[in-house]
Amino acid sequence: MSAFSATAAGSAGVGLETGLVPAVSLSALLESGLTDGLAWVAIGAFIVALCLQWLGAADPARYVATGAWIVFGVFWLTMVPYYYYEVQSPLQTILAIAALPLCAYTGYLLYGGRDSIMLLSKAVMFMGLIYLPVETIPVVKTWLIETTAAQTHYGMELFGYSPGLAEGSYGYKSKFDFDPNETVTGRTTYIILACTGIGSMAIFGGLIAAVKAPLRRKLSAFALAIGVIWFLNLVRNVFIGLASPWGWFQQPWLVSFMTTYMGAEEGRVSFLVAHNYIAQTLSIVALIGITYLVVKILPEVLEPLEDVLFILTGNEYDLYSALDADVRADGGRSTTEEASTSDSKSER
């Protein structure tokens, strides 16, 4: 699994144990290191750009960051076949396709002088520095996957299911060992790195690390985001892990629609509906909700989010005013509060 495979759609993915090889397999491409290599190049370029900015070389910093955004977009483009053929996720496929033009446009805006995007570049850099070591250090990756699997299994036990854990397709003890002769679909799921929530954690960790604010508020916002993501991710894993083997969505009309129009295998319908449609949609809703909670503690993160909205819509937004935020990105007070204080002093 590639380094940022979870990030685009908010922590995508519980693997499906099928015993079948997809007609078009991109495993060789992913295992070749191409995608992770592109991610490392992009993050490395962002680091160089920010170092140049810190040294006062504004123009070179902007040019290097522009190149980093383009490489980052190409990285996402390499993920399209995987999301389309193997994961069969319409949402992730669309997001991966859209990433290249959006990243290229971001680089174009930065190259043209929109220097505020350097803060967004800094956030992406920190996201990569959080995620990539987890992806590439085997002991950390194994611990995170198997710990998530054990916690998910405990969640299943709370609902009366205790399948046990076995070795999954990627060699981790993360497969829920349901008896195929006793379940509805005869299939089961296993935990992969994307199922750990690390992608969403990296998103918020990067945003929080990038902005200037008192350390106490940054730590509070980070703890809140990580805690909520962990809990919701555990609920999601339990839901998918039970829906797939027990065929919660194997209704005839749904099976007919998915196999006829979406190219799904009949036995995978419950998994695909639970994972690719229900869970991923709710993940986006959850990310928006977590963002709101983080903003209440750390309104400084609104600054890079304003650039994200400008990139997506072409319109300028004042999120500070819209959300009645009273702290500026530089750690000072809002203009309204300063004006009120000034008026108070002048009356004295």
Side-chain angles (χ1 to χ4, degrees):
M1 179 64 66
S2 170
F4 286 93
S5 57
T7 309
S11 291
V14 176
L16 177 66
E17 187 78 17
T18 64
L20 300 174
V21 178
V24 180
S25 176
L26 276 299
S27 297
L29 172 63
L30 296 176
E31 292 173 0
S32 70
L34 171 63
T35 51
D36 282 347
L38 287 170
W40 275 114
V41 170
I43 299 307
F46 281 129
I47 293 173
V48 172
L50 290 165
C51 288
L52 289 172
Q53 183 187 45
W54 181 72
L55 292 172
D59 287 341
R62 189 164 57 247
Y63 301 150
V64 173
T66 296
W69 278 106
I70 294 172
V71 174
F72 194 50
V74 173
F75 153 75
W76 281 112
L77 186 64
T78 66
M79 294 300 300
V80 171
Y82 173 78
Y83 289 140
Y84 182 78
Y85 289 110
E86 296 196 14
V87 179
Q88 294 183 19
S89 170
L91 177 60
Q92 288 176 281
T93 302
I94 292 171
L95 290 173
I97 291 172
L100 178 57
L102 286 174
C103 287
Y105 180 57
T106 302
Y108 168 78
L109 291 173
L110 181 58
Y111 184 83
R114 191 177 177 90
D115 291 335
S116 61
I117 291 178
M118 288 299 292
L119 180 59
L120 182 60
S121 303
K122 185 178 181 181
V124 173
M125 178 199 72
F126 278 118
M127 292 176 198
L129 291 178
I130 293 171
Y131 193 98
L132 285 171
V134 176
E135 162 73 20
T136 55
I137 299 176
V139 64
V140 177
K141 186 175 182 179
T142 300
W143 175 84
L144 190 57
I145 289 173
E146 294 188 348
T147 298
T148 301
Q151 292 174 345
T152 302
H153 188 273
Y154 175 75
M156 290 180 176
E157 290 181 324
L158 296 178
F159 290 93
Y161 299 91
S162 185
L165 288 170
E167 185 175 299
S169 296
Y170 290 91
Y172 306 104
K173 190 176 180 180
S174 64
K175 183 177 76 171
F176 304 111
D177 200 18
F178 287 102
D179 186 340
N181 297 317
E182 295 180 357
T183 57
V184 173
T185 64
R187 302 179 186 235
T188 189
T189 56
Y190 55 92
I191 298 297
I192 59 176
L193 184 61
C195 313
T196 64
I198 187 63
S200 296
M201 293 177 187
I203 290 174
F204 286 99
L207 285 171
I208 292 168
V211 300
K212 294 180 179 179
L215 181 60
R216 177 182 58 80
R217 283 198 290 111
K218 294 178 75 169
L219 291 176
S220 297
F222 182 74
L224 172 67
I226 298 305
V228 174
I229 290 169
W230 171 83
F231 175 75
L232 293 180
N233 186 67
L234 181 60
V235 171
R236 183 187 69 94
N237 286 344
V238 172
F239 167 65
I240 298 171
L242 294 178
S244 178
W246 295 107
W248 289 357
F249 303 101
Q250 291 294 127
Q251 291 81 1
W253 70 269
L254 193 51
V255 171
S256 176
F257 175 81
M258 291 290 291
T259 55
T260 303
Y261 299 104
M262 305 303 291
E265 299 173 33
E266 182 176 344
R268 294 192 77 201
V269 169
S270 193
F271 169 79
L272 292 173
V273 171
H275 180 275
N276 290 358
Y277 295 93
I278 297 176
Q280 286 186 0
T281 300
L282 292 178
S283 291
I284 294 176
V285 175
L287 286 176
I288 295 173
I290 296 169
T291 301
Y292 177 78
L293 295 177
V294 169
V295 165
K296 299 299 288 184
I297 300 174
L298 194 70
E300 288 84 353
V301 300
L302 291 174
E303 185 174 353
L305 294 180
E306 286 176 344
D307 273 319
V308 171
L309 288 177
F310 179 81
I311 292 165
L312 293 174
T313 67
N315 298 318
E316 298 284 1
Y317 292 89
D318 185 356
L319 295 180
Y320 285 88
S321 298
L323 298 177
D324 195 26
D326 62 357
V327 180
R328 296 198 315 256
D330 61 3
R333 291 172 296 182
S334 68
T335 303
T336 302
E337 186 179 355
E338 285 181 336
S340 175
T341 303
S342 178
D343 290 342
S344 176
K345 288 181 178 179
S346 63
E347 288 176 359
R348 296 175 189 171

